[in-house]
Amino acid sequence: MINVSEQHAPRSLIVTLYGAYGRFMPGPVPVAELIRLLAAVGVDAPSVRSSVSRLKRRGLLLPARTAQGAAGYELSPEACQLLDDGDRRVYAAAPPPPDEGWVLAVFSVPESERQKRHVLRSRLAGLGFGSAAPGVWVAPARLYEESRHTLERLRLDPYVDFFRGEHLGFAATVESVSRWWDLAAIAKEHEAFLDQHARVLHAWEKRADTPPEEAYRDYLVALDSWRHLPYTDPGLPAHLLPADWPGVRSAAVFQGLHARLRDAGATFAGV
């Protein structure tokens, strides 16, 4: 059994569990089942209950009874939209198109509400936007729909205008991209994922069997690590990135683990 590190906090693992398996279960997930499934990755029952309470207060989980009358939790509509939006990034297998263009988010916040400036900056950064100038943020065009949903959900949309466009200079786009995003920091996150999970994939590739509980454990932990990366890394076209970009390798490792472990893990999860 693995030790749950700060990277794999119980609250994060619960969200990952619902994203991978819980939302496909018939009806609410019983509390006892949540405790069983999180125990497989080293989370004790008190931590599960505490984390579920926090997610409930945030409006992501709703208390509900199963058909048998047991206490359980289901995803709120907001959480369902979050996970549906996230699927397009987390499970994307195709490389980004080389010429999709950009979406610009331009925001202006009155001085009387200046605390919302920090919220907007942090949310846009968390969606994968890079900072082109004060109040001007840029991202690949495909991130528009999810970004719109997020800002509407947070009631920040009155402060933002979105535009689509292409970069015309004066600096070369590859040079501008290196200013808009901290590519070195993003590369380090990919390397950290590879350090933790590439050896796991290599070990599975040497095996002929796929025991459901082991598959579930390794997949849930890998998915919990991976699902944040497509938000840190906006998925820029290869010609705008440094040579031997580690994101290509980390995506291949995740896709390999997903293909090998996800369905076997579903057996253990009861999906």
Side-chain angles (χ1 to χ4, degrees):
M1 184 176 293
I2 66 167
N3 292 319
V4 177
S5 66
E6 185 177 343
Q7 182 185 4
H8 300 291
R11 200 180 340 173
S12 178
L13 284 164
I14 290 171
V15 173
T16 301
L17 168 61
Y18 270 93
Y21 300 118
R23 60 181 157 152
F24 305 112
M25 295 178 182
V29 183
V31 174
E33 185 67 357
L34 284 174
I35 290 171
R36 179 185 78 88
L37 291 171
L38 272 295
V41 289
V43 183
D44 59 28
S47 296
V48 173
R49 295 183 188 278
S50 174
S51 298
V52 165
S53 293
R54 292 190 186 99
L55 291 167
K56 187 173 107 175
R57 287 196 296 271
R58 287 180 56 193
L60 298 178
L61 291 181
L62 302 175
R65 293 279 172 180
T66 68
Q68 294 73 34
Y73 288 90
E74 62 187 7
L75 293 167
S76 68
E78 173 186 334
C80 288
Q81 185 185 77
L82 279 168
L83 292 172
D84 289 345
D85 282 342
D87 283 353
R88 287 189 284 273
R89 295 205 206 197
V90 172
Y91 300 111
D99 56 355
E100 68 173 310
W102 305 95
V103 58
L104 292 180
V106 180
F107 69 81
S108 178
V109 179
E111 184 63 24
S112 60
E113 300 178 90
R114 60 182 177 273
Q115 74 279 2
K116 291 183 179 176
R117 292 175 193 158
H118 172 71
V119 177
L120 267 166
R121 286 193 292 264
S122 63
R123 289 296 178 173
L124 289 169
L127 287 162
F129 279 72
S131 178
V136 181
W137 292 68
V138 61
R142 67 184 178 281
L143 304 188
Y144 162 70
E145 185 177 352
E146 181 180 2
S147 301
R148 185 183 186 93
H149 289 164
T150 299
L151 296 182
E152 287 175 341
R153 186 167 55 247
L154 296 171
R155 297 183 176 85
L156 294 171
D157 50 300
Y159 308 100
V160 180
D161 283 302
F162 280 118
F163 301 88
R164 289 189 189 272
E166 57 181 312
H167 182 239
L168 299 176
F170 292 96
T173 304
V174 67
E175 295 175 12
S176 297
V177 159
S178 67
R179 294 195 310 271
W180 299 341
W181 286 275
D182 187 343
L183 296 180
I186 296 171
K188 285 182 179 178
E189 294 202 31
H190 283 295
E191 295 288 0
F193 180 86
L194 287 164
D195 288 345
Q196 185 178 3
H197 298 288
R199 65 179 182 272
V200 177
L201 176 60
H202 295 156
W204 279 105
E205 288 173 338
K206 296 176 182 176
R207 298 178 59 167
D209 63 334
T210 313
E213 183 171 358
E214 289 183 54
Y216 165 85
R217 180 196 65 211
D218 285 349
Y219 180 64
L220 194 73
V221 172
L223 178 59
D224 193 59
S225 296
W226 173 258
R227 71 181 178 86
H228 304 284
L229 257 172
Y231 288 87
T232 302
D233 183 341
L236 300 171
H239 70 277
L240 298 179
L241 293 167
D244 194 28
W245 179 247
V248 176
R249 289 177 281 124
S250 66
V253 166
F254 174 72
Q255 291 296 334
L257 288 167
H258 177 76
R260 177 64 184 271
L261 304 179
R262 194 272 169 192
D263 290 348
T267 301
F268 178 75
V271 179

